[in-house]
Amino acid sequence: MTPVLAIEFNKAFFFKFLKFGLVGFSGLIVDFGVTYFFKEKLKVHKYISNSFGFLVATGTNYSLNRYWTFHNQDPAYIIQFGKFFVVSAVGLALSNSLIYLLNDKLKWNFYLAKACAIVFVSLWNFFANYLYTFTG
């Protein structure tokens, strides 16, 4: 296969992408659950609720991706988590921006807007983590 930007599109790459997607789906459940709890039950502002959901899912996703998706044993896990967190923070900014655009400006349903943001941000997260966080 042809490498593009240090990515070799082969069976191993697609298997990692699939595993990342499964981890992401579990993160989606965590993210939506935490967001729903804070927004609907505790009546916390939607962007703060969204941020809590995203951050909790980031923690669980880091652990699962480190050990299961990327089989990474880098002993500098604090630095690695820092990289993962930076990638996720950019993703959070993208997520909140998309939710603002779709929900506040275009008047889409909040959870539909959040689902669209998750799809876009998931692609960002995979490629950024594949090329930056879990390299080596």
Side-chain angles (χ1 to χ4, degrees):
M1 293 279 178
T2 305
V4 176
L5 294 174
I7 298 173
E8 187 173 341
F9 292 92
N10 57 25
K11 186 176 178 180
F13 171 83
F14 288 110
F15 193 57
K16 284 182 183 178
F17 187 76
L18 177 65
K19 288 169 102 176
F20 190 88
L22 291 171
V23 170
F25 185 73
S26 74
L28 176 101
I29 293 167
V30 171
D31 190 341
F32 266 83
V34 171
T35 299
Y36 177 84
F37 178 75
F38 275 88
K39 182 179 180 290
E40 305 299 335
K41 300 300 181 188
L42 299 180
K43 304 299 182 197
V44 175
H45 190 274
K46 64 186 172 186
Y47 292 112
I48 295 171
S49 298
N50 183 57
S51 298
F52 279 136
F54 194 89
L55 291 171
V56 172
T58 296
T60 59
N61 284 0
Y62 169 73
S63 297
L64 289 170
N65 279 314
R66 174 179 164 85
Y67 295 109
W68 187 57
T69 304
F70 295 104
H71 303 286
N72 190 280
Q73 301 298 320
D74 187 346
Y77 64 91
I78 299 292
I79 292 169
Q80 188 179 61
F81 181 76
K83 290 178 175 182
F84 191 87
F85 189 82
V86 166
V87 167
S88 297
V90 170
L92 177 59
L94 292 170
S95 176
N96 280 337
S97 296
L98 286 169
I99 289 170
Y100 173 76
L101 173 68
L102 298 175
N103 178 245
D104 290 0
K105 294 297 181 186
L106 298 179
K107 304 301 181 198
W108 288 20
N109 173 277
F110 173 77
Y111 292 104
L112 179 60
K114 183 170 177 63
C116 290
I118 285 171
V119 170
F120 180 78
V121 171
S122 293
L123 291 171
W124 153 257
N125 282 343
F126 175 75
F127 285 103
N129 283 305
Y130 183 83
L131 293 171
Y132 175 64
T133 305
F134 295 110
T135 59

